[in-house]
Amino acid sequence: MLCDDEAWDAFQRRDRAYDGRVIAGVLTTGIYCKPSCPARHPLRANVRFFPDAASARATGLRACLRCKPDEVGRERVAVAKAVALIEGAEEAIGLEALAEQVGYAPHHFQRLFKRATGVTPAAYARGVRARRAAAALDTEDSVTDAIYEAGYSAPSRFYETAADRLGMTPSAWRNGGAGVTIRWTVAPTSLGPLLIAATDKGLCRVAFDEDSLGLAARFPRAEIVAGGAALADLAARVVGEVEQPGRHTDLPLDVRGTAFQEAVWQALRAIPPGETLSYTQLAIAAGRPGAVRAAGTACGANSVAVVIPCHRAQRSDGSMGGYAYGIERKRVLRAREGVEE
């Protein structure tokens, strides 16, 4: 159960991330609502908080007809069931068939799924197949066998979808990045030297206190070359995000992770400068409310510091939590965005 102050703050923000975690009962009207309810807020003195809708109903309150708080549990169960169906399917499941199996209209369920996970069902399924392909490419003797093993109907489907997501061709993936050119530079910033590296698709590594040797260890068979003029503009924009956050939010990326990690990273990129989310909120946004520790691990696996702003993540009690490049850097980055500790 959340403390009353945190619950009230969530209702004041109409924070969807808290839907299903707390219920507000309005004693003067006799109704109960979820945090994202769009209705005008009641006086704080007239509100009592409950851990769930059943507890609110037990006191004689009835559900709000505007925000329909009783639907939250059903929606979460439906999304969890859909995720399990996608993960367990050998072939892609169409939106209509998926929605029918979980009891919703297709377009309505598409909105529910994206709100819960950060991606559409189709994008989630592509992530699952790409993850399987990456694993199969490490074990199968044939690239074609690996593609079929991952669940693609034909090699062309892999090249149309997964190859873009992986950021390199299947053969390059098997060979540790062979054939991929990564340009790099180390730029001075007020927080120390910053390694900036990118493929033709986008940034693949941004890290404080690293150099080309560390880059080569991550991509042992890629061609690692000095960035020069080809990287200058992109590097300047990355440095700009260190010095004046929020100026360049559209920087191109070429990063890879599990579907859950990528959902966490998307949630991080959606946080405006000056705002924060707890690891619990990130887990909820990524569609796995119980995976709080995994959300923290996803932040730690972020390979493009500042560009994916994991410094905006914190513990539920408001403390900063850890940071791969030192807690003092995290404190400075947050202070530059106006976050008060």
Side-chain angles (χ1 to χ4, degrees):
M1 180 63 184
L2 303 174
C3 70
D4 284 2
D5 287 343
E6 184 178 358
W8 179 246
D9 287 344
F11 273 86
Q12 289 289 90
R13 299 191 305 271
R14 294 188 170 89
D15 194 334
R16 287 186 180 276
Y18 282 79
D19 287 353
R21 299 182 61 204
V22 66
I23 289 290
V26 185
L27 305 182
T28 50
T29 61
I31 65 171
Y32 61 87
C33 303
K34 61 186 180 184
S36 64
C37 182
R40 191 175 74 174
H41 289 127
L43 294 175
R44 174 68 183 84
N46 297 329
V47 176
R48 179 183 170 192
F49 295 108
F50 300 89
D52 51 45
S55 300
R57 286 194 300 273
T59 66
L61 298 173
R62 64 186 185 280
C64 172
L65 296 178
R66 188 168 183 181
C67 71
K68 300 179 180 178
D70 293 345
E71 287 290 302
V72 174
R74 179 178 173 236
E75 292 171 0
R76 291 187 183 277
V77 169
V79 170
K81 182 179 179 180
V83 166
L85 289 169
I86 293 170
E87 294 274 0
E90 293 185 2
E91 297 183 359
I93 305 174
L95 176 62
E96 290 189 2
L98 187 66
E100 182 179 0
Q101 290 187 66
V102 299
Y104 280 90
H107 293 298
H108 180 48
F109 183 68
Q110 172 124 322
R111 289 194 297 271
L112 292 180
F113 192 96
K114 185 171 184 179
R115 189 168 67 202
T117 67
V119 295
T120 64
Y124 190 95
R126 287 195 296 271
V128 170
R129 290 199 302 275
R131 188 173 72 239
R132 290 175 183 167
L137 285 165
D138 287 334
T139 58
E140 295 288 339
D141 293 331
S142 163
V143 169
T144 300
D145 289 346
I147 289 171
Y148 283 116
E149 178 69 21
Y152 291 93
S153 58
S156 60
R157 294 299 301 152
F158 177 85
Y159 282 92
E160 289 169 7
T161 57
D164 285 340
R165 183 176 177 275
L166 296 177
M168 58 185 72
T169 65
S171 58
W173 179 271
R174 278 183 60 83
N175 295 310
V180 175
T181 298
I182 298 177
R183 303 184 185 279
W184 69 277
T185 187
V186 174
T189 77
S190 59
L191 295 182
L194 184 69
L195 172 73
I196 301 168
T199 67
D200 291 340
K201 294 180 178 294
L203 295 160
C204 61
R205 183 66 175 166
V206 176
F208 291 101
D209 302 330
E210 282 192 16
D211 56 24
S212 60
L213 294 178
L215 190 64
R218 285 178 170 270
F219 304 98
R221 297 189 180 180
E223 181 184 10
I224 311 294
V225 300
L231 190 60
D233 179 65
L234 185 58
R237 293 164 65 194
V238 174
V239 171
E241 277 302 289
V242 175
E243 309 300 347
Q244 293 180 292
R247 295 178 60 196
H248 304 287
T249 58
D250 59 345
L251 291 166
L253 298 180
D254 186 1
V255 293
R256 297 171 298 278
T258 66
F260 177 74
Q261 286 175 330
E262 291 185 4
V264 170
W265 297 341
Q266 287 182 12
L268 286 166
R269 293 199 89 186
I271 305 173
E275 298 184 16
T276 60
L277 284 183
S278 69
Y279 298 114
T280 299
Q281 290 171 305
L282 287 171
I284 293 170
R288 289 173 54 190
V292 178
R293 185 181 296 275
T297 301
C299 290
N302 170 25
S303 59
V304 283
V306 182
V307 183
I308 293 177
C310 54
H311 58 275
R312 294 174 191 160
Q314 62 185 32
R315 296 193 180 109
S316 295
D317 62 6
S319 61
M320 283 192 294
Y323 191 57
Y325 306 105
I327 201 67
E328 185 56 34
R329 281 193 176 113
K330 185 173 186 177
R331 182 177 289 108
V332 173
L333 287 168
R334 289 156 66 94
R336 287 178 181 175
E337 297 182 3
V339 177
E340 296 183 2
E341 302 302 339

